[in-house]
Amino acid sequence: MNAPAKIETTLKDWETDQEVRWCPGCGDYAILKAVQRTLPQLGCDPANTVFVSGIGCSSRFPYYIESYGFHTIHGRAPAFATGVKLANPDLDVWMVTGDGDGLSIGGNHLLHVLRRNVNLQIMLFNNEIYGLTKGQYSPTSREGTKSPSSPIGSVDHPANPCAFALGAGARFVGRGIDVSKHLPDVLKAAHAHQGAAFIEIFQNCIVYNKDVFDDFAKPKGADQQQLWLKDGEPMLFGSEKTGGVKGIALDSENLILKVVDVEGDDWQSAGVLVHNAKSRMLAHMLVELPFGDFPMPLGVIYDDPAATFESAVIAEREASAAGKEASLAKLLAKGQTWTVDGTAQDPV
């Protein structure tokens, strides 16, 4: 496998001639622009890039990126993306899915692409609702969500996409917000990761679940409600202007995380933890934090590369073929075969 050569492009090089058709105000517009701005910064080549999607609002993405793309079957984008990567490991593969597409009918396929560690980027747009099919509650909808399929409120306990990814064996887990200026940084880190990189993106559905993320996503008060994680840096949030600087520390007696106040710049005395992106245990603790008691963890939560699926498959093929002559005729004749010589026999 060879690293693709970097080339110079602009945002315009990644825009198609297709009319972008999402509801006015949909968070998908912001994600699309973030991706189109990030790809030139990564030096990506449209001729070497593939976007694969399933079914849903998010899955229109391949139409709007000037590259190769597949708009596939509901929930099956991971299977197609895996096939693309195995057929040509040098391709830069991005997978686009939603909370319904990826965690309902596609949950099984998403699990396997993560545990296999196929080298691609997975963007899961989470708007906590089925937008394309007119607003039914989804696997990530909060308890009490009223929708056409739950008119008096959903009683389902919602799925946690990042916890699911970690449980499936993902080696990279990140989170972002559709309109956040930090989203491109998460995309860049995912692209740099060798293996399956999972990114949950909170995405506002303007029609069926409007402003459901305002408790942490709206600009006012965001520094108190958002914990942007950076490897090797203390887990700090807030400011003196908005209620004081706080941090995340470990309650060693109960082995749980807690919020502590920070005086001035002395975060060490407060016991604030330094983020370690290679700590799987810390990642599990962060993605399970109850929002309200804690800020929303965002950014690169976990990043610990391991051998990729396609590299193992290629190595296995090469080892199996070593010292052997490629012969289709021998392959066809292998096993229980027989030859009909064509000699006619008179009936007795």
Side-chain angles (χ1 to χ4, degrees):
M1 293 181 290
N2 301 309
K6 293 185 177 182
I7 69 168
E8 285 191 17
T9 60
T10 67
L11 182 150
K12 291 291 184 183
D13 293 317
W14 294 93
E15 294 179 335
T16 70
D17 59 0
Q18 299 297 301
E19 178 187 0
V20 182
R21 299 184 66 182
W22 287 308
C23 301
C26 175
D28 288 355
Y29 285 99
I31 301 172
L32 175 63
K33 283 302 175 187
V35 172
Q36 289 173 330
R37 289 191 179 99
T38 301
L39 291 169
Q41 296 173 25
L42 295 172
C44 295
D45 182 352
N48 200 63
T49 303
V50 184
F51 277 79
V52 182
S53 68
I55 295 295
C57 296
S58 64
S59 294
R60 297 187 62 82
F61 221 81
Y63 294 105
Y64 309 138
I65 297 285
E66 188 60 49
S67 70
Y68 292 101
F70 294 88
H71 188 178
T72 70
I73 308 169
H74 202 191
R76 274 66 174 183
F80 283 86
T82 299
V84 170
K85 197 66 181 179
L86 287 176
N88 187 350
D90 294 334
L91 291 175
D92 187 8
V93 181
W94 297 73
M95 197 194 100
V96 185
T97 186
D99 47 304
D101 180 64
L103 292 173
S104 184
I105 191 170
N108 176 51
H109 294 275
L110 184 58
L111 180 152
H112 295 305
V113 77
L114 291 171
R115 72 170 179 82
R116 285 172 172 153
N117 200 32
V118 182
N119 188 20
L120 47 79
Q121 297 76 239
I122 302 166
M123 297 187 293
L124 186 144
F125 299 6
N126 182 11
N127 57 21
E128 296 187 2
I129 208 75
Y130 278 104
L132 186 67
T133 50
K134 307 301 182 281
Q136 302 93 329
Y137 80 95
S138 84
T140 59
S141 295
R142 304 174 195 186
E143 293 177 25
T145 297
K146 292 184 178 181
S147 75
S149 55
S150 56
I152 57 176
S154 169
V155 297
D156 274 7
H157 181 67
N160 180 328
C162 288
F164 173 89
L166 284 169
R171 309 294 303 189
F172 180 103
V173 174
R175 266 197 192 131
I177 302 171
D178 50 11
V179 296
S180 172
K181 65 181 181 180
H182 300 297
L183 179 58
D185 293 332
V186 183
L187 298 174
K188 291 174 187 176
H191 190 265
H193 176 87
Q194 290 298 300
F198 178 86
I199 314 136
E200 176 188 13
I201 305 174
F202 294 113
Q203 177 254 318
N204 186 30
C205 177
I206 195 72
V207 175
Y208 297 110
N209 216 14
K210 184 181 179 183
D211 300 334
V212 70
F213 303 118
D214 264 7
D215 46 4
F216 64 84
K218 63 182 178 181
K220 186 176 182 180
D223 62 347
Q224 286 287 344
Q225 305 302 331
Q226 298 177 10
L227 172 64
W228 283 95
L229 299 160
K230 291 186 178 180
D231 188 40
E233 296 189 12
M235 298 185 193
L236 297 171
F237 62 99
S239 67
E240 295 297 342
K241 295 181 179 180
T242 59
V245 178
K246 297 180 175 62
I248 303 296
L250 178 67
D251 180 342
S252 56
E253 182 178 350
N254 297 300
L255 291 179
I256 57 175
L257 299 180
K258 62 181 180 180
V259 174
V260 295
D261 294 319
V262 176
E263 297 293 335
D265 297 326
D266 191 12
W267 55 268
Q268 292 99 331
S269 296
V272 175
L273 293 173
V274 172
H275 183 44
N276 178 6
K278 292 187 182 298
S279 172
R280 194 172 192 84
M281 182 175 70
L282 179 59
H284 275 287
M285 296 175 76
L286 286 167
V287 301
E288 295 284 4
L289 288 178
F291 178 76
D293 298 326
F294 293 86
M296 179 61 70
L298 299 160
V300 178
I301 298 169
Y302 182 61
D303 184 0
D304 188 18
T308 64
F309 180 65
E310 65 275 13
S311 63
V313 170
I314 291 169
E316 183 181 58
R317 287 175 183 167
E318 291 177 347
S320 177
K324 297 178 181 178
E325 177 187 355
S327 171
L328 180 60
K330 288 182 179 180
L331 179 63
L332 293 175
K334 185 178 180 181
Q336 295 182 345
T337 61
W338 62 93
T339 302
V340 177
D341 63 11
T343 302
Q345 298 289 329
D346 293 329
V348 177

